[in-house]
Amino acid sequence: MAEIIVALDHPSAEEALDLVRRLGDQGRFFKVGLELYTRAGPDVVRRLRDHGKRVFLDLKLHDIPNTVAGAVRAAAALDVELITIHTAGGLPMMRAAVEAAEGTMGLLAVTLLTSLSPSDVEAVWGREIRSIRDEVSRLAGLAEECGLAGVVASALETGWLRPQVGADFLIVTPGIRPAGADLDDQMRVATPADAVEAGASYLVVGRPVTQADDPLAALQALQAEVAAARAP
Ligand code: C5P
């Protein structure tokens, strides 16, 4: 069954861990991204692990193969379960990362950032593209070929990506909003049920939980919706 990962997009470890405490046993899996990691460092990951929490380290690694492999080994030493790397780093980089992980953690591919428009992609890649969808499919295929565990994709991409990848290939889906909720800065959102029905393995949820008046109640409502939804 799909699971919810709560995004700890907080400016300090104390604020992040305070939320983790408020969620208690219902909060099992947490995402640490660039802001929190840059502020609080590996210590925040260790503290989450000390509380028995599962950790998704969303650092979107993109560097030469040797450097990325080193970072993956460092994350493995922290007992991280999922980590992101950019497919644009190349096949040798993805393969080096998979080798460095030694099966201890799942590597997730970032294909095209959802903030990029087709003309943004064309400007940096220096060629015309048929569509964002074609590029995401192609890059997800390369990630699967290189042995990555899955991909990060919006719920709207998940529906057409799921039939193209193996059943065990993870699709981790951000941009989740309960029906009628504030969209914040997200443009293309889906409800938890939509994401599960599209084939998501994990749903990344930030503000609908972290900014809720009652974060535990918000998380429980999301979990109930996930449990009631049917995977494809
Ligand atoms: O607060 P919200 O639910 O929008 O947070 C979603 C989380 O997923 C954030 O940590 C954000 O960085 C991440 N994310 C996203 N959209 C993407 C990739 C990652 O919202 N395309």
Side-chain angles (χ1 to χ4, degrees):
M1 197 182 79
E3 284 182 75
I4 290 177
I5 301 176
V6 177
L8 295 174
D9 295 320
H10 295 84
S12 72
E14 279 56 45
E15 285 160 270
L17 292 165
D18 184 51
L19 177 85
V20 172
R21 271 188 291 275
R22 289 181 72 181
L23 297 177
D25 291 343
Q26 289 307 116
R28 293 181 279 269
F29 209 153
F30 292 93
K31 179 170 95 76
V32 175
L34 284 170
E35 182 183 0
L36 182 59
Y37 195 77
T38 304
R39 287 188 187 276
D43 191 50
V44 70
V45 176
R46 287 191 201 101
R47 288 165 74 181
L48 286 164
R49 293 296 300 134
D50 287 347
H51 287 95
K53 305 304 181 187
R54 300 163 68 191
V55 177
F56 166 19
L57 195 54
D58 187 17
L59 297 186
K60 298 188 174 68
L61 305 174
H62 186 174
D63 208 318
I64 59 171
N66 185 55
T67 301
V68 168
V72 166
R73 278 191 290 274
L78 289 171
D79 205 14
V80 161
E81 190 170 325
L82 294 173
I83 190 164
T84 38
I85 67 174
H86 273 279
T87 50
L91 277 62
M93 187 205 79
M94 288 195 272
R95 293 202 178 102
V98 169
E99 201 180 314
E102 295 182 334
T104 59
M105 90 183 107
L107 300 175
L108 299 176
V110 175
T111 57
L112 289 183
L113 295 171
T114 49
S115 51
L116 296 175
S117 68
S119 61
D120 290 332
V121 176
E122 290 177 343
V124 286
W125 288 7
R127 65 168 170 84
E128 283 184 16
I129 61 166
R130 282 227 311 254
S131 66
I132 291 276
R133 183 186 283 216
D134 277 2
E135 296 299 328
V136 169
S137 295
R138 191 177 62 75
L139 294 169
L142 290 179
E144 198 173 14
E145 253 174 66
C146 289
L148 268 68
V151 69
V152 180
S154 77
L156 305 176
E157 293 164 346
T158 300
W160 49 261
L161 213 42
R162 176 46 80 201
Q164 297 177 32
V165 295
D168 294 336
F169 197 65
L170 302 175
I171 303 185
V172 176
T173 306
I176 302 295
R177 290 292 179 274
D182 192 342
L183 300 192
D184 304 302
D185 56 356
Q186 297 281 14
M187 315 269 266
R188 301 194 302 145
V189 299
T191 66
D194 288 340
V196 172
E197 283 158 17
S201 319
Y202 292 99
L203 280 54
V204 175
V205 185
R207 287 161 290 183
V209 171
T210 59
Q211 306 297 311
D213 292 336
D214 185 344
L216 176 57
L219 177 60
Q220 283 172 321
L222 290 161
Q223 287 170 334
E225 189 174 333
V226 167
R230 194 157 303 164

